[in-house]
Amino acid sequence: MTTTDPDEPMPAPDEPVMARDEPEMARDEPVPARDEPLTASPAPAKAGPGALARQRRRASAVRFWQRYRTHRSGLFGLAALALFALVALTAPLTVGSDVQSVTGAPGRPMESPSLEFPLGTDQFGRSLFGLVVWGSRVSLLVGLLATVLSVAIGALIGITAGHFRGWFATVMMRITDWFLVMPTLVLAIALATVMSRSLGTIILAIGVTTWPTTARLVRAQTLAVESRPYIERAKALGGGHRHVMSRHVLPNVMPLVLAQTTLIISSSILAEATLAFLGLGDPTVVSWGGLLQDAREAGAVSAGKWWYLVPPGIAIAVVALSFTLCGRAVESVLNPKLGVAR
Amino acid sequence: MTAEATPSLVGKTGGPAEAGPSAVRGPRGRGTAYPRYVAGKLGGAAVSLLAVLVTSFFLFRLIPGDPVKFMTGGRQVSAEQLASYRREFGLDLPLWQQFTDYCGKALTGDLGTSYQFRAPVMDKISEALPNTLLLTGTSFVLYTAIGIFLGTRAAWRNGGLGDRLNTGLALTLYSIPPFWLGLLLIIVFSVGIGPVPGLFPTGGMESGNAEGFGYVLDVAHHLILPVVTLVAVEYGQTLLVTRSALLDEMGSDYLTTARAKGLRDDLVRRRHAVPNALLPTMTLVFINLGRTVAGVILVETVFSWPGLGGLFYQALSVPDLPLVQGLFFVFAAAVIVMNTLADLIYPLLDPRVGR
């Protein structure tokens, strides 16, 4: 009953699954596949170093997937995300950009759900179903781009602060700590207020306020990687800062960055919805948060028109939850001891 | 974690929060080290507050265009009027002078004059502060207690059906936009939907006609839905943190010893495991206050609660820059102060840390 096991029984060793150890070694000399139980066939004699590296990469991807598959909630999240991605990508074919046009609206204002309009219409008579489908494009795009920005800043600062010690690291980590205690949303709101209303502003506001956790995690991992002997070997062979950081540290922190990315996306999507709801988004594009703001301004709340409010909110919640579930599954595959995401 | 937030100031005595349970007892006792630790933390907090002050000044000077244009809202205004506005808000001075003025005034509690209300920002803030404290305080106590209670249950029966339901619900609520949940609660419980009558007021803090004890009841009645919303979206985080902290403790030898002594399972949990797991939990609860601030802004906006968050929303929609700036400073400062308090209390609770 009270075992020491975390979440799921994992047949796993402690090492990160995807960590491609010593990529340089793989190129220098054909190392016998020492830690690869899954590659049944030993490397063919004719395989060059490149092929060997590819084979290793493929094997670790297979191993990753096999462990990921054991997380049912992670699979659920993945399936939901695939569905949403499909809906967003095919939206120009299914609903078309006409849905957001106010002038050519097909229905009467604020209609209840019917066969023609499955989710009713908004105050201009536009089909809410179409708007929710169309809004998925902006919500997902902003969430993804903001996360890419945030993770890129975090990884850059984390790796450099871990690699260069001394005053540079101190200053960087001081800045990180300061951002870490700042109420993220308040800072993002302040940024969005002072800049022009556009999607770029929203992406920037979210991206530059959410990176500190990534920076901290990446720095810790960088310090761990840099204490290994093969880094010393690389330096002895004349590897410069850039070589060490990009060829040795980066591949080893990538798994962590990947897990972090999936976790940050859900908060980015929530942040986008929040900023749009507060009226700081681009008023000319349709997004889920913007729809909720429209609904509130059109008096859907006091009129009890729940069908206007429910679908965009559910969409936000399902996508955010799916990314969280995926992120937790990835994290627990990469670090089986963890059990829970922080 | 704010791990090793102040390495240079605390020096070799240890990166406090990160050191955690593995910190080794140093050669010196608490006598000399705790004051140094306190000084380091206070110094760090002072630097952070100063940084917030500087940010709040320069961030709001980034605005493309003239702040006076915002004030006049695009109306036709004569050049003399513009100049008088500039003088009134000190915008005709050079930037460095504006900055020193701003810092000097901020230190004496003067955060400027709101464009929108034509009243000192500090007055507006101190008017709204008690209402926010009431809402936030009530919610904070409730969601921390609920989170710790459920997190403990989830970890102790880790992997079971209860754990999965509990964690699943917490994750789901955690993914819901707070403002959306608030709007739904208003529709269902205030406006009324189908057979459900409107049970609660749709917003505000009081109905305005009650006195004495009736007033307390009235405010409590208005408080219920906002508090429910905040607790629902925030308790998940506490639950997850408690759960993982307790899971970390569960392999420990001292629990085996406690069981070997013949203690009931219940007592092992309450007397031995939970107190140890609570320490890291409390740190994270305080660190996560930043997220609560965001929740408070949204919930107050949705429920028209007359607090700082509602004021922030009003200021944003103009935008009323001195007010946004002042509130930005207050929110950031509140989180920094709370975090510093947690840092200061932590070593008193856990003697392994901070020496």
Side-chain angles (χ1 to χ4, degrees):
Chain A
M1 173 127 313
T2 54
T3 49
T4 56
D5 272 10
D7 263 356
E8 324 244 335
M10 301 290 293
D14 292 338
E15 41 136 52
V17 181
M18 295 239 308
R20 288 176 265 131
D21 255 5
E22 296 124 294
E24 203 193 9
M25 292 258 286
R27 258 191 309 144
D28 288 352
E29 54 229 316
V31 184
R34 46 183 174 80
D35 53 0
E36 281 174 286
L38 273 170
T39 43
S41 59
K46 68 178 175 75
L52 196 64
R54 265 199 301 282
Q55 195 182 2
R56 278 191 171 195
R57 222 164 291 162
R58 203 166 40 238
S60 65
V62 167
R63 227 172 335 166
F64 176 82
W65 172 242
Q66 279 177 343
R67 293 207 191 130
Y68 186 92
R69 237 175 20 187
T70 61
H71 292 258
R72 227 180 313 161
S73 56
L75 284 181
F76 167 80
L78 205 58
L81 288 181
L83 185 69
F84 270 94
L86 189 73
V87 166
L89 289 175
T90 57
L93 304 174
T94 50
V95 298
S97 61
D98 293 347
V99 282
Q100 48 176 344
S101 128
V102 178
T103 46
R108 283 174 293 111
M110 299 292 235
E111 272 186 66
S112 309
S114 61
L115 272 181
E116 192 189 352
F117 302 111
L119 300 176
T121 60
D122 73 350
Q123 68 271 35
F124 303 112
R126 301 181 290 182
S127 161
L128 275 174
F129 177 76
L131 288 175
V132 170
V133 169
W134 193 252
S136 68
R137 294 167 68 82
V138 168
S139 294
L140 290 178
L141 183 74
V142 172
L144 288 177
L145 289 181
T147 306
V148 168
L149 181 63
S150 157
V151 169
I153 299 176
L156 185 70
I157 290 189
I159 290 180
T160 48
H163 181 80
F164 302 104
R165 316 283 165 81
W167 64 269
F168 176 80
T170 311
V171 170
M172 279 300 155
M173 291 334 276
R174 255 321 176 77
I175 296 177
T176 310
D177 281 329
W178 184 73
F179 268 100
L180 205 58
V181 294
M182 284 295 288
T184 311
L185 186 77
V186 176
L187 198 56
I189 289 175
L191 280 174
T193 314
V194 299
M195 291 188 287
S196 57
R197 300 269 178 279
S198 73
L199 288 187
T201 300
I202 299 279
I203 292 170
L204 199 66
I206 300 173
V208 299
T209 51
T210 53
W211 56 267
T213 38
T214 315
R216 278 215 152 275
L217 288 170
V218 168
R219 174 171 168 268
Q221 179 82 357
T222 304
L223 290 177
V225 170
E226 293 230 344
S227 66
R228 291 192 204 160
Y230 72 88
I231 297 289
E232 205 182 331
R233 172 182 171 277
K235 282 184 187 155
L237 289 176
H241 292 304
R242 230 181 102 188
H243 174 82
V244 170
M245 281 191 282
S246 63
R247 307 276 326 170
H248 296 288
V249 176
L250 187 64
N252 277 294
V253 298
M254 271 324 275
L256 185 75
V257 168
L258 177 72
Q260 189 63 13
T261 306
T262 4
L263 288 172
I264 289 185
I265 292 179
S266 64
S267 57
S268 296
I269 287 177
L270 282 173
E272 188 274 332
T274 304
L275 291 178
F277 177 73
L278 292 175
L280 298 169
D282 185 342
T284 59
V285 298
V286 176
S287 77
W288 291 332
L291 281 176
L292 288 174
Q293 190 212 8
D294 288 349
R296 182 160 182 254
E297 294 205 328
V301 178
S302 46
K305 301 200 185 304
W306 55 270
W307 37 262
Y308 195 161
L309 282 165
V310 170
I314 287 187
I316 296 170
V318 169
V319 170
L321 180 64
S322 303
F323 274 114
T324 307
L325 292 179
C326 286
R328 284 166 62 90
V330 170
E331 210 175 28
S332 117
V333 168
L334 299 176
N335 186 0
K337 273 184 167 172
L338 212 57
V340 187
R342 280 172 308 288
Chain B
M1 308 258 295
T2 48
E4 39 153 41
T6 53
S8 52
L9 289 164
V10 184
K12 295 279 183 289
T13 43
E18 192 171 65
S22 62
V24 188
R25 189 171 285 267
R28 269 170 297 176
R30 165 174 295 169
T32 59
Y34 187 65
R36 271 188 72 185
Y37 172 80
V38 170
K41 285 294 171 195
L42 289 181
V47 171
S48 295
L49 281 177
L50 201 64
V52 169
L53 197 63
V54 174
T55 317
S56 68
F57 177 80
F58 284 105
L59 186 61
F60 295 98
R61 293 296 183 285
L62 280 180
I63 311 173
D66 195 338
V68 178
K69 294 262 165 56
F70 276 115
M71 265 184 279
T72 55
R75 277 178 282 120
Q76 281 296 328
V77 199
S78 70
E80 294 86 64
Q81 260 174 312
L82 279 181
S84 86
Y85 274 131
R86 286 219 175 78
R87 250 196 317 283
E88 185 181 344
F89 292 99
L91 294 167
D92 52 347
L93 300 170
L95 198 62
W96 64 268
Q97 204 171 343
Q98 286 186 39
F99 179 63
T100 45
D101 280 2
Y102 175 72
C103 288
K105 281 181 177 170
L107 289 179
T108 57
D110 178 0
L111 291 172
T113 308
S114 153
Y115 297 162
Q116 185 182 8
F117 299 102
R118 295 290 164 138
V121 169
M122 211 55 200
D123 288 3
K124 298 303 290 183
I125 290 178
S126 47
E127 246 169 57
L129 186 65
N131 304 341
T132 293
L133 286 182
L134 174 66
L135 174 62
T136 318
T138 317
S139 312
F140 180 76
V141 170
L142 280 177
Y143 79 67
T144 309
I146 292 175
I148 289 175
F149 178 80
L150 292 177
T152 313
R153 292 293 177 288
W156 206 249
R157 297 272 175 268
N158 147 40
L161 182 67
D163 176 25
R164 269 178 295 161
L165 283 180
N166 229 332
T167 317
L169 182 66
L171 277 176
T172 309
L173 285 173
Y174 186 65
S175 308
I176 286 180
F179 57 89
W180 181 65
L181 185 63
L183 292 176
L184 283 193
L185 288 179
I186 291 179
I187 287 195
V188 175
F189 292 108
S190 302
V191 177
I193 180 172
V196 185
L199 294 171
F200 296 99
T202 52
M205 198 175 114
E206 51 184 306
S207 310
N209 48 13
E211 300 269 326
F213 186 63
Y215 176 75
V216 176
L217 277 185
D218 188 35
V219 171
H221 191 209
H222 284 76
L223 193 61
I224 290 176
L225 283 188
V227 166
V228 167
T229 313
L230 260 182
V231 169
V233 293
E234 301 294 344
Y235 90 96
Q237 187 142 21
T238 318
L239 184 150
L240 294 177
V241 169
T242 313
R243 181 174 175 275
S244 71
L246 191 55
L247 280 179
D248 274 350
E249 293 293 330
M250 276 173 56
S252 308
D253 289 342
Y254 71 88
L255 290 185
T256 316
T257 312
R259 278 199 197 89
K261 283 196 299 190
L263 284 185
R264 278 185 290 126
D265 191 49
D266 186 40
L267 282 180
V268 175
R269 187 187 70 221
R270 281 208 323 253
R271 296 265 175 80
H272 292 263
V274 172
N276 279 309
L278 277 186
L279 289 167
T281 307
M282 283 325 287
T283 327
L284 281 170
V285 162
F286 278 98
I287 295 210
N288 291 335
L289 270 177
R291 190 185 134 97
T292 308
V293 167
V296 169
I297 293 173
L298 292 169
V299 166
E300 288 191 358
T301 302
V302 166
F303 288 96
S304 318
W305 189 261
L308 295 179
L311 196 61
F312 195 49
Y313 179 68
Q314 283 178 18
L316 283 180
S317 45
V318 174
D320 183 349
L321 294 178
L323 196 51
V324 176
Q325 196 174 14
L327 285 166
F328 172 83
F329 181 71
V330 168
F331 285 134
V335 174
I336 290 172
V337 168
M338 292 305 281
N339 270 311
T340 311
L341 276 182
D343 277 344
L344 295 185
I345 296 171
Y346 197 66
L348 301 180
L349 298 178
D350 187 347
R352 291 169 301 190
V353 172
R355 267 168 301 102

